[in-house]
Amino acid sequence: LYLLLERELERLKALKNAIFVPVPLHFLRQWKRGYNQSEWIAKALQKCCGGEILSLLKRKVNTPSQTSLTRSERKKNVENAFTLAKKTIDPKKTYVLVDDVFTTGATLNACAKVLHEEGAQNIRVFTLAHG
């Protein structure tokens, strides 16, 4: 993963010293899986770009997988599923939401909404793939 990101260093300069916010899994899903893929991606980004990783968000609802849902079902599925885990938003900083796949944007929009409502002004998104 690091080698893949290394090839994109020029594009990644815009993320230099940002705060990387992995999209959280519900604690039950993470316990079953044993890892959060968004955290792994955030660690690779931090290695390339500096900055820090903060788990600012918490998934308060154990939502079903989005894979078989329509666009409107996905949006409804993650609506109000996230909350702020730590009250550490600095409106002057750049926050980068990190997820593995961007399909409809429902999950990332739901996460960005929470960050924005808590004062984040500069929110970006990073995913490895578009589905």
Side-chain angles (χ1 to χ4, degrees), residues 81-119:
F82 300 96
T83 188
L84 201 65
K86 299 178 182 177
K87 300 271 184 192
T88 58
I89 300 296
D90 180 346
K92 297 174 190 158
K93 296 198 176 190
T94 298
Y95 294 88
V96 180
L97 287 167
V98 180
D99 207 359
D100 55 349
V101 179
F102 182 102
T103 305
T104 64
T107 300
L108 292 163
N109 281 335
C111 290
K113 180 181 176 190
V114 172
L115 292 177
H116 183 70
E117 287 173 350
E118 294 295 331

Side-chain angles (χ1 to χ4, degrees), residues 24-92:
L25 296 175
H26 189 269
F27 77 92
L28 289 174
R29 187 169 293 156
Q30 185 160 342
W31 179 74
K32 284 181 185 177
R33 186 180 287 171
Y35 65 94
N36 178 346
Q37 67 279 8
S38 297
E39 289 175 358
W40 287 3
I41 298 165
K43 287 176 186 175
L45 283 168
Q46 181 188 35
K47 191 172 181 179
C48 286
C49 305
E52 61 184 309
I53 299 169
L54 290 178
S55 296
L56 293 176
L57 299 172
K58 178 181 175 183
R59 190 181 289 252
K60 61 183 180 178
V61 179
N62 191 9
T63 56
S65 173
Q66 302 265 82
T67 54
S68 64
L69 302 178
T70 66
R71 178 180 294 274
S72 60
E73 289 170 334
R74 286 172 184 243
K75 184 176 179 182
K76 188 172 183 173
N77 189 41
V78 293
E79 194 173 45
N80 300 313
F82 300 96
T83 188
L84 201 65
K86 299 178 182 177
K87 300 271 184 192
T88 58
I89 300 296
D90 180 346
K92 297 174 190 158

